[in-house]
C-alpha cells in the first residue's frame, strides 16, 4: 500500500497542547449525561489552555434524527460551551462530520488488514451482529483465510465487513484517569466490526481514527465504554499511535437502581429549560453530578463556568454513579433566580407572567419583584399570579386567620369600613394606599393585620399570595380593587 496519504495525514496532526472533543451523534435532544460529558470535556480543554473540538458522529444513519445537529449547536452555544474547531468553524484536521470522512476509514481498515490486526469477513451476519460483533471469534472461518484467498473474494465483488483481529490468548491493560489500570483477558474480547458492508465505519473504529488524526489528548465518555477500551488500545497499538488519556465517567442515575433514560421520561436539557430551569443552574448542578471541587473550594456550591474552568481537576471525578436529584436542582435554580438583577429576572419571567396574566392594564413589572424570591423554577410563577387575571371562587374560611385574629364577621366589618377609604383616594400609588390602610387601622385602634388580611383575601381569593394587600391594590388598580372588595362584602354578608 502506498503510504503517502498516511504520512500526509500524520503531518497535519496538532501537537503540544491539550485537545479534547465532544462527539455527539445527531439522534435527538441533549440528555443530562451527554451535557455532562460536553461540560467535562470543555472544562478539561479550558483548564489546560487547549482546544475544544466539536465533531459530529453520524455514521449510524439508521438513528439519525432530522434537526438533531442544529439542537447540538444551539444547546452548546446557549450553555457557553464554545468550540475552537468544528463543522461550522473548520480547522486544521477537518472535516468534522464523520460521513464526510468516509473514505479515510476504509484506508485505515485495509492498513490494519495488511498489518494482520484485522481481516475481511464474508460471513452472512445480521446487521445487529455486524454492529456489535456478538459472536465467538474462534467460530468465524474468515479469520483463518489467507491474505490471497480473502483478497480474491474482495476482488470478485463479494460483500464483506472488516473485523478487528483480537490476539488469541494474553491480556490487554489500559489506564483510565478515574478507574486506574484495568487488565482483561484477550479471550473475553470479540472481533468487533470496524468497517461495515456499506463502507461506513462503526463508532468503535471511527472514534479511534478520528481521535488520533485530530490530536485528541483526553477522551471523556461514559463508563459503559470501559468494556470497549481494551479493543481501542489494541487498535492504537496496531497503528503505533499514542493512546490518549481516558476519562470514563460513571452514569447519571434516576435512582439507586436505574440509569436516566429518555425512554423512561427523564429530562433532556431542552426539557429542563421548558420546565423553568435556568441554563446557569443546570450547568452548575450537572457539573457537580459526579465531580467535586477540592481544597479551598471544597465547600463551595455555586460556580460560574469561568470559575469552574480554573479549578476543574480530574481528581475530583468520582467512580460512583451520581443520582439526579430534582430537589437539589430546584435548590440551585432558586438560588440563581434570587441572585438575578431585577431587569434580568423580568426578561426570563415575562413569558410566564404573560401566560397567567393577560389583562392589558396590569403592569407585569410590578408583579415580577413579588415572585422573584418565591420560585424554585419559572414554572412556579403562573400558579402564584393567575388571580390577577381573574378572581377564583374561594371559601369564606380564607378570611379566618388565627394569628391575624380575623374571622368572617370582623372581616366583613373591615371590608365595609375600608371600601369608602379606598374609594376616596385620588392618588392610587403604593405609598398612598399603604398610608390609607395603616391610618385606618390606627384610627380604629386595630392591628394592621385586621385590615390587611381581609383586603388581601378579597382581592386574591387565595391563602398565599406574592405581596400583601397594598401591593395587590396597586397592581389591580382602583376599579378592580373596589369591585373585588364589593364582591367580598356580598359573599360574607
Amino acid at each position: 500500500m502506498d503510504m503517502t496519504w498516511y504520512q500526509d495525514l500524520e503531518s497535519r496532526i496538532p501537537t503540544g497542547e491539550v485537545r479534547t472533543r465532544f462527539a455527539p451523534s445527531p439522534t435527538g435532544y441533549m440528555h443530562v449525561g451527554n451535557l455532562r460529558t460536553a461540560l467535562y470535556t470543555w472544562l478539561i480543554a479550558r483548564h489546560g489552555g487547549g482546544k475544544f473540538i466539536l465533531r459530529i458522529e453520524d455514521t449510524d444513519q439508521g438513528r439519525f434524527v432530522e434537526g438533531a445537529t442544529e439542537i447540538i449547536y444551539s444547546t452548546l452555544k446557549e450553555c457557553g460551551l464554545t468550540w475552537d474547531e468544528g463543522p461550522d468553524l473548520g480547522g486544521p484536521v477537518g472535516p468534522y462530520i464523520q460521513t464526510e470522512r468516509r473514505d479515510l476509514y476504509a484506508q485505515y481498515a485495509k492498513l490494519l488488514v495488511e498489518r494482520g490486526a484485522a481481516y475481511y469477513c464474508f460471513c452472512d451476519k445480521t446487521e445487529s451482529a455486524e454492529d456489535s460483533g456478538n459472536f465467538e471469534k474462534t467460530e468465524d472461518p474468515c479469520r483463518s483465510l489467507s491474505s490471497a484467498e480473502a483478497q480474491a473474494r474482495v476482488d470478485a465483488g463479494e460483500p464483506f465487513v472488516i473485523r478487528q483481529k483480537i490476539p488469541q490468548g494474553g491480556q490487554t491493560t489500559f489506564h483510565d484517569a478515574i478507574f486506574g489500570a484495568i487488565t482483561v483477558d484477550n479471550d473475553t474480547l470479540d472481533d468487533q466490526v470496524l468497517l461495515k458492508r456499506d463502507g461506513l465505519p462503526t463508532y468503535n473504529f471511527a472514534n479511534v481514527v478520528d481521535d488520533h488524526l485530530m490530536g485528541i489528548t483526553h477522551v471523556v465518555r461514559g463508563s459503559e465504554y470501559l468494556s470497549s477500551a481494551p479493543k481501542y488500545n489494541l487498535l492504537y497499538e496496531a497503528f503505533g499511535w499514542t493512546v490518549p488519556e481516558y476519562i470514563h465517567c460513571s452514569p447519571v442515575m434516576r435512582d439507586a437502581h436505574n440509569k436516566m433514560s429518555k425512554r423512561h421520561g427523564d429530562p433532556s436539557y431542552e426539557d429542563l429549560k421548558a420546565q423553568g430551569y435556568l441554563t446557569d443552574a443546570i450547568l452548575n448542578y450537572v457539573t457537580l453530578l459526579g465531580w467535586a471541587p477540592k481544597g479551598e473550594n471544597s465547600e463551595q456550591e455555586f460556580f460560574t463556568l469561568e470559575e469552574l474552568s480554573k479549578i476543574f481537576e480530574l481528581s475530583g471525578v468520582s467512580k460512583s454513579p451520581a443520582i439526579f436529584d430534582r430537589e437539589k436542582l430546584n435548590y440551585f435554580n432558586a438560588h440563581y433566580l434570587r441572585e438575578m438583577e431585577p431587569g434580568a429576572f423580568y426578561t426570563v419571567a415575562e413569558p410566564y407572567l404573560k401566560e397567567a396574566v393577560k389583562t392589558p392594564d396590569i403592569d407585569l413589572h410590578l408583579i415580577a419583584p413579588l415572585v422573584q424570591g418565591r420560585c424554585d423554577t419559572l414554572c412556579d410563577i403562573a400558579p402564584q399570579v393567575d388571580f390577577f387575571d381573574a378572581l377564583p371562587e374561594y371559601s369564606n374560611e380564607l378570611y379566618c386567620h388565627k394569628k391575624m385574629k380575623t374571622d368572617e364577621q370582623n372581616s366583613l366589618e373591615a371590608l365595609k369600613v375600608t371600601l369608602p377609604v379606598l374609594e376616596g383616594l385620588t392618588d392610587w400609588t403604593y405609598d398612598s394606599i399603604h398610608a390609607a390602610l395603616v391610618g385606618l387601622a390606627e384610627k380604629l385602634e386595630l392591628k394592621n393585620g385586621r385590615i390587611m388580611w381581609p383586603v388581601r383575601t378579597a382581592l386574591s381569593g387565595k391563602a398565599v399570595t406574592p405581596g400583601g394587600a397594598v401591593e395587590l391594590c396597586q397592581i389591580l388598580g382602583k376599579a378592580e380593587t373596589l369591585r373585588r372588595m364589593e364582591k367580598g362584602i356580598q359573599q360574607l354578608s
Side-chain angles (χ1 to χ4, degrees), residues 225-471:
Y225 290 103
L226 277 169
S227 60
S228 298
K231 293 180 281 189
Y232 300 152
N233 262 40
L234 289 169
L235 288 172
Y236 280 106
E237 290 171 10
F239 283 120
W241 296 339
T242 301
V243 179
E245 183 161 15
Y246 296 142
I247 301 101
H248 287 88
C249 301
S250 293
V252 179
M253 309 287 285
R254 185 191 326 137
D255 52 45
H257 306 289
N258 299 287
K259 289 183 182 180
M260 289 189 74
S261 166
K262 186 70 174 171
R263 291 193 304 275
H264 294 108
D266 293 316
S268 66
Y269 169 79
E270 293 289 325
D271 292 331
L272 291 174
K273 287 286 293 180
Q275 291 164 14
Y277 293 95
L278 299 173
T279 296
D280 288 346
I282 297 169
L283 292 177
N284 195 151
Y285 178 65
V286 169
T287 302
L288 298 175
L289 281 175
W291 176 83
K294 302 287 186 179
E296 63 183 20
N297 304 109
S298 60
E299 300 300 318
Q300 187 174 338
E301 289 184 296
F302 304 104
F303 300 92
T304 64
L305 268 184
E306 184 178 358
E307 289 170 334
L308 287 168
S309 68
K310 292 176 181 176
I311 66 171
F312 189 84
E313 296 280 0
L314 292 176
S315 59
V317 180
S318 173
K319 293 180 183 179
S320 303
I323 294 178
F324 184 84
D325 183 343
R326 180 74 70 154
E327 289 304 311
K328 189 71 172 176
L329 176 58
N330 287 346
Y331 164 74
F332 273 85
N333 203 64
H335 168 84
Y336 277 92
L337 287 171
R338 285 157 177 70
E339 292 296 308
M340 294 180 84
E341 291 294 326
F345 176 77
Y346 182 80
T347 298
V348 298
E350 185 180 22
Y352 298 85
L353 290 167
K354 286 183 173 179
E355 177 188 339
V357 183
K358 298 182 172 62
T359 304
D361 294 339
I362 288 182
D363 187 351
L364 300 180
H365 288 86
L366 295 176
I367 301 177
L370 304 181
V371 297
Q372 183 169 359
R374 302 171 62 92
C375 299
D376 287 343
T377 76
L378 292 167
C379 289
D380 294 337
I381 292 175
Q384 294 186 65
V385 303
D386 54 1
F387 69 88
F388 284 112
D389 222 28
L391 182 67
E393 296 293 326
Y394 65 93
S395 166
N396 287 347
E397 290 180 6
L398 288 183
Y399 286 101
C400 303
H401 194 290
K402 188 175 181 180
K403 184 178 178 182
M404 300 295 178
K405 297 185 173 150
T406 60
D407 54 32
E408 291 185 38
Q409 183 57 42
N410 63 28
S411 291
L412 175 60
E413 294 167 0
L415 290 177
K416 284 182 174 179
V417 296
T418 305
L419 185 63
V421 171
L422 293 179
E423 279 180 326
L425 283 181
T426 55
D427 183 23
W428 197 262
T429 63
Y430 178 92
D431 290 340
S432 63
I433 297 166
H434 182 269
L437 295 181
V438 171
L440 177 61
E442 186 177 342
K443 177 182 175 183
L444 298 175
E445 298 183 347
L446 298 173
K447 289 192 173 181
N448 291 342
R450 282 282 305 278
I451 297 294
M452 300 290 191
W453 186 263
V455 171
R456 191 200 63 80
T457 302
L459 298 185
S460 68
K462 290 199 170 191
V464 180
T465 59
V470 179
E471 289 91 348

Side-chain angles (χ1 to χ4, degrees), residues 68-293:
T69 302
E70 288 69 30
I71 290 173
I72 292 167
Y73 290 150
S74 63
T75 300
L76 291 177
K77 287 177 181 176
E78 193 171 316
C79 291
L81 304 181
T82 53
W83 54 97
D84 304 292
E85 301 170 24
D88 56 336
L89 299 179
V93 288
Y96 294 87
I97 297 177
Q98 280 189 336
T99 49
E100 295 177 12
R101 303 168 63 85
R102 177 175 182 148
D103 294 342
L104 281 178
Y105 307 117
Q107 290 175 288
Y108 279 98
K110 290 171 183 175
L111 179 58
L112 284 180
V113 172
E114 282 196 5
R115 295 185 176 183
Y119 61 95
Y120 293 107
C121 177
F122 306 94
C123 300
D124 188 18
K125 309 291 184 189
T126 64
E127 186 174 340
S128 60
E130 281 192 6
D131 288 340
S132 67
N134 187 21
F135 67 99
E136 294 293 330
K137 57 178 173 285
T138 52
E139 295 178 0
D140 192 329
C142 299
R143 184 179 165 98
S144 57
L145 288 174
S146 69
S147 299
E149 286 179 283
Q151 191 59 53
R153 294 174 70 170
V154 170
D155 293 343
E158 193 170 340
F160 65 87
V161 300
I162 293 180
R163 296 189 183 277
Q164 185 175 5
K165 196 170 193 177
I166 302 293
Q168 292 182 317
Q171 296 178 318
T172 295
T173 298
F174 68 94
H175 186 273
D176 180 80
I178 312 306
F179 292 90
I182 299 176
T183 300
V184 300
D185 294 330
N186 288 335
D187 288 341
T188 65
L189 306 177
D190 59 275
D191 284 3
Q192 66 178 345
V193 172
L194 305 179
L195 201 71
K196 295 182 283 188
R197 278 186 170 82
D198 60 6
L200 284 173
T202 58
Y203 164 83
N204 288 321
F205 184 49
N207 86 83
V208 168
V209 173
D210 288 342
D211 285 346
H212 173 69
L213 292 180
M214 293 183 179
I216 302 304
T217 58
H218 299 70
V219 173
V220 182
R221 54 181 168 237
S223 58
E224 65 269 24
Y225 290 103
L226 277 169
S227 60
S228 298
K231 293 180 281 189
Y232 300 152
N233 262 40
L234 289 169
L235 288 172
Y236 280 106
E237 290 171 10
F239 283 120
W241 296 339
T242 301
V243 179
E245 183 161 15
Y246 296 142
I247 301 101
H248 287 88
C249 301
S250 293
V252 179
M253 309 287 285
R254 185 191 326 137
D255 52 45
H257 306 289
N258 299 287
K259 289 183 182 180
M260 289 189 74
S261 166
K262 186 70 174 171
R263 291 193 304 275
H264 294 108
D266 293 316
S268 66
Y269 169 79
E270 293 289 325
D271 292 331
L272 291 174
K273 287 286 293 180
Q275 291 164 14
Y277 293 95
L278 299 173
T279 296
D280 288 346
I282 297 169
L283 292 177
N284 195 151
Y285 178 65
V286 169
T287 302
L288 298 175
L289 281 175
W291 176 83

